[in-house]
Amino acid sequence: MYYVPAGKTGIVGDTPDVDWVRLAEPVVPDDPDASIVVDLRSDHSPEWERMLAQAALAGIPVYHTKQLRESLTGRVQIEHLSENSFGSLLPALGYRGVKRTIDIVASIVLLPILMLPLIVVALLVRASSPGPILFRQRRMGYRGIPFDMIKFRTMVEQAATTGDDAARHSAITRDADDRITDIGRFLRRSRIDELPQIINILRGEMSWIGPRPEAVTLSTWYESELPFYAYRHIVRPGITGWAQVNQGHVAGLDDVHVKLHYDFYYIKFFSSWLDLLIALRTVGIMVTGFGAK
């Protein structure tokens, strides 16, 4: 792809797998396979604008950097919550009702099938280390309403913490965290530890697919540091999501910022097709362990 070296050209650094060619002058590329990427919101000289018009007339695709960046990275980078970015701040109201019905039906169908495996996992967790089978944590939920999320315990039982800094540190799980038990590593890698959240789905607190809910202490911190963070609560949080199948687990604030771009992409393109893609990728991660963190 050829790109115009003016305006916002961050797409070049974000997509190193693309063969980028910098246009040094406003001349239509002599290349039958050419396509041109340009920041159409930037002010270009008449020569560059004339070249872009000629390229379009010649049948050469001319892409706006913002839209193409979303397509190539699966992320939406929001500068301001405007109708120009999202079309509407309320995502696909029609699908939201259908999605809730799918969540309930799938949970009712799967719960009897999963009952015996869940009992076996519960016994393994009980035998792995002292402590409860289930882990409960206050998470930030749909429309910013906190709820108690449940999952299989994958760490050794921890002492209660006091203070915001200690609470945030305890809530963050890092790579190679020494608090994770042996069985806990398998449960995390396979995502089996999340299955008790079927109860949260039936309660209406979660969905099978959506942005992962964060601990309230972390969510409060992120909201104070990252603009528009609260907007991710416009849809129900999920057991798995677009950020999880693309990025995996994150801990640092910079990584959370990138995760937020994935969450906004999911919200912007909220649909059955995107949910199906996430479901298929999640099954692949559960079976192979590839891509899980």
Side-chain angles (χ1 to χ4, degrees):
M1 290 185 173
Y2 295 80
Y3 72 96
V4 176
K8 295 183 178 179
T9 58
I11 186 175
V12 176
D14 279 354
T15 53
D17 293 338
V18 176
D19 184 13
W20 292 106
V21 180
R22 184 180 185 273
L23 286 171
E25 54 184 349
V27 176
V28 177
D30 184 17
D31 181 349
D33 299 320
S35 57
I36 299 175
V37 181
V38 57
D39 180 3
L40 294 175
R41 292 182 179 176
S42 180
D43 291 328
H44 299 285
S45 69
E47 291 77 16
W48 281 105
E49 291 184 344
R50 189 174 298 112
M51 183 277 289
L52 294 172
Q54 291 172 349
L57 290 174
I60 296 176
V62 178
Y63 299 107
H64 178 35
T65 53
K66 183 175 178 63
Q67 275 70 43
L68 188 63
R69 194 176 192 178
E70 292 176 5
S71 297
L72 294 178
T73 64
R75 295 158 47 187
V76 169
Q77 295 179 303
I78 294 184
E79 300 155 2
H80 47 81
L81 291 178
S82 69
E83 290 189 350
N84 290 333
S85 293
F86 272 82
S88 169
L89 294 184
L90 293 176
L93 294 177
Y95 176 57
R96 193 161 61 183
V98 174
K99 180 179 173 68
R100 180 62 189 147
T101 301
I102 294 172
D103 285 338
I104 294 173
V105 172
S107 298
I108 292 174
V109 170
L110 287 175
L111 195 55
I113 299 173
L114 294 174
M115 188 61 68
L116 182 57
L118 291 176
I119 292 174
V120 172
V121 172
L123 294 175
L124 292 174
V125 172
R126 171 68 77 184
S128 65
S129 64
I133 293 173
L134 295 177
F135 172 74
R136 290 177 171 83
Q137 188 178 56
R138 198 74 171 161
R139 299 280 180 114
M140 193 65 76
Y142 182 44
R143 294 180 175 172
I145 300 174
F147 71 102
D148 291 322
M149 192 197 77
I150 59 176
K151 59 186 292 187
F152 283 121
R153 180 175 59 85
T154 59
M155 294 184 176
V156 295
E157 194 171 15
Q158 304 170 57
T161 57
T162 58
D164 291 342
D165 289 342
R168 284 199 298 263
H169 181 79
S170 176
I172 295 174
T173 305
R174 295 166 176 79
D175 292 337
D177 199 312
D178 58 8
R179 296 173 298 173
I180 302 176
T181 63
D182 291 339
I183 184 63
R185 294 189 190 283
F186 167 74
L187 295 179
R188 283 174 171 269
R189 188 168 58 250
S190 62
R191 307 287 175 91
I192 293 175
D193 63 318
E194 311 287 359
L195 289 179
Q197 286 155 42
I198 292 177
I199 303 301
N200 293 118
I201 294 175
L202 291 173
R203 289 175 181 169
E205 299 161 337
M206 291 183 65
S207 171
W208 282 99
I209 297 171
R212 282 296 295 164
E214 296 286 1
V216 170
T217 53
L218 289 179
S219 183
T220 304
W221 177 43
Y222 296 153
E223 190 171 341
S224 68
E225 297 289 337
L226 302 175
F228 319 127
Y229 183 83
Y231 184 62
R232 75 193 296 271
H233 306 313
I234 195 69
V235 296
R236 281 185 176 83
I239 291 180
T240 185
W242 185 240
Q244 281 61 50
V245 299
N246 282 283
Q247 185 186 26
H249 175 74
V250 299
L253 196 60
D254 289 341
D255 290 335
V256 172
H257 203 166
V258 174
K259 178 182 178 183
L260 194 60
H261 295 161
Y262 283 116
D263 289 339
F264 284 164
Y265 183 93
Y266 175 77
I267 293 169
K268 181 174 182 178
F269 298 104
F270 186 66
S271 64
S272 58
W273 294 108
L274 186 54
D275 276 357
L276 178 60
L277 177 60
I278 294 169
L280 293 173
R281 287 194 181 182
T282 300
V283 171
I285 290 173
M286 293 180 68
V287 172
T288 67
F290 180 77
K293 292 187 179 180

